[in-house]
């Protein structure tokens, strides 16, 4: 069975602090894809990153970085020097095929000025 | 400007009404989706259309009826809904390359906030 767990329901940090959002997944497939999405108050989920199961290199994009560890089935997301605009709900997702995606329950991040 | 447009953004309806949600994608994708988002729950996949054919229907009640007239448009027809159907309904599109291809990311619209009285 496929499953994505985001254990952190809500996180609050003060602006400029670093914050890590956890994502743990379950799958029996050897080929799969992991995603992170951001949902601001407007409602639209915005794609942040896609990672396939054969690429365990960590990735950095500006203040965002992702740590993919197959050994622990985790795909954690870190925001460095957080800003108020980072306040949103963040979703982790898993997919093996082209049209079936499994989402976590999301982590609501509040960055306090 | 988003590549996936949903209308209306907000809808209030009684349990006996019939209404429709509309989604349009301008990205040239070949797959479109309806998701339901309720508080404290994972996104629930309702319907998938790939190449205009329905691929999966996850036991959604028949009071929800999808329609995909072409690869750019997707509708969700609503009939005799229940108050528990109140939620944010999200449309998404992607480029489906089949089971042997790369999984493309979903592109979402801003959602239609539905309230059933």
């Amino acid at each position: 069975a496929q499953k994505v767990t985001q254990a952190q329901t809500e996180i609050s940090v003060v602006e400029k602090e670093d914050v890590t959002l956890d994502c743990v997944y379950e799958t029996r497939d050897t080929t799969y894809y992991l995603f992170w999405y951001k949902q601001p108050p407007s409602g639209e989920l915005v794609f942040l990153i896609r990672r396939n199961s054969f690429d365990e290199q960590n990735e950095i994009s500006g203040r965002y970085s992702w740590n993919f560890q197959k050994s622990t089935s985790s795909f954690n997301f870190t925001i460095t020097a957080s800003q108020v605009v980072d306040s949103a709900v963040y979703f982790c997702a898993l997919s093996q095929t082209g049209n079936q995606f499994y989402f976590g329950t999301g982590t609501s991040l509040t960055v306090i000025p | 400007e988003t590549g996936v447009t949903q209308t209306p953004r907000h809808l209030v309806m009684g349990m006996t009404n019939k209404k429709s949600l509309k989604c349009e994608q301008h990205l040239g994708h070949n797959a479109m989706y309806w998701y339901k988002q309720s508080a404290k729950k994972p996104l629930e996949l309702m319907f998938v259309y790939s190449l205009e054919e329905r691929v999966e229907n996850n036991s959604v009640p028949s009071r929800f009826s999808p329609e995909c007239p072409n690869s750019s448009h997707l509708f969700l027809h609503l009939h005799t809904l229940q108050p528990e159907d109140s939620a944010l309904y999200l449309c998404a599109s992607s480029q489906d390359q089949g089971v042997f291809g790369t999984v493309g990311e979903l592109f979402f619209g801003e959602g239609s906030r539905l309230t059933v009285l």
Side-chain angles (χ1 to χ4, degrees):
Chain A
Q2 292 76 32
K3 184 180 178 182
V4 175
T5 300
Q6 294 180 255
Q8 304 152 307
T9 305
E10 297 179 355
I11 299 177
S12 292
V13 298
V14 177
E15 198 170 22
K16 297 185 182 178
E17 288 184 347
D18 299 346
V19 58
T20 295
L21 309 181
D22 298 333
C23 173
V24 175
Y25 62 92
E26 297 175 27
T27 178
R28 294 180 180 173
D29 290 339
T30 56
T31 302
Y32 53 89
Y33 293 78
L34 296 164
F35 303 80
W36 274 97
Y37 286 86
K38 173 182 180 182
Q39 186 179 36
S42 62
E44 174 189 359
L45 274 79
V46 177
F47 166 74
L48 296 178
I49 189 171
R50 175 184 63 202
R51 173 66 81 229
N52 75 53
S53 53
F54 298 106
D55 182 3
E56 287 193 72
Q57 279 193 335
N58 292 328
E59 182 160 337
I60 297 175
S61 177
R63 296 184 297 106
Y64 294 171
S65 62
W66 290 270
N67 182 5
F68 177 28
Q69 292 196 349
K70 289 178 75 170
S71 60
T72 56
S73 297
S74 65
F75 187 43
N76 296 337
F77 173 30
T78 297
I79 302 175
T80 303
S82 60
Q83 299 177 1
V84 173
V85 294
D86 295 327
S87 296
V89 181
Y90 291 85
F91 291 91
C92 181
L94 164 73
S95 179
Q96 289 96 11
T97 65
N99 51 45
Q100 180 65 278
F101 292 81
Y102 300 88
F103 284 84
T105 50
T107 297
S108 178
L109 173 66
T110 301
V111 180
I112 304 166
Chain B
E1 181 181 322
T2 178
V4 180
T5 305
Q6 290 186 241
T7 55
R9 292 293 311 280
H10 299 274
L11 178 63
V12 179
M13 59 187 290
M15 290 193 290
T16 58
N17 291 157
K18 289 185 181 180
K19 297 286 184 183
S20 296
L21 306 181
K22 179 183 176 182
C23 177
E24 184 174 0
Q25 60 100 357
H26 314 276
L27 302 168
H29 289 160
N30 61 6
M32 295 186 76
Y33 310 72
W34 280 115
Y35 280 89
K36 177 183 178 181
Q37 185 177 26
S38 304
K40 310 294 184 185
K41 290 185 177 181
L43 271 70
E44 300 173 46
L45 176 63
M46 300 178 73
F47 301 104
V48 181
Y49 278 84
S50 181
L51 299 174
E52 300 170 40
E53 291 188 5
R54 187 188 303 179
V55 177
E56 293 195 32
N57 178 346
N58 294 272
S59 301
V60 175
S62 59
R63 55 186 183 268
F64 295 93
S65 174
E67 178 188 0
C68 187
N70 55 60
S71 59
S72 299
H73 294 86
L74 183 64
F75 295 89
L76 187 62
H77 303 300
L78 316 170
H79 178 50
T80 58
L81 296 190
Q82 304 298 312
E84 59 264 29
D85 296 323
S86 299
L88 181 67
Y89 288 84
L90 291 161
C91 176
S93 70
S94 73
Q95 189 61 24
D96 185 354
Q97 299 186 23
V99 295
F100 300 109
T102 301
V103 173
E105 62 269 26
L106 295 170
F107 289 78
F108 285 87
E110 292 183 301
S112 294
R113 173 71 63 186
L114 173 65
T115 302
V116 182
L117 302 176

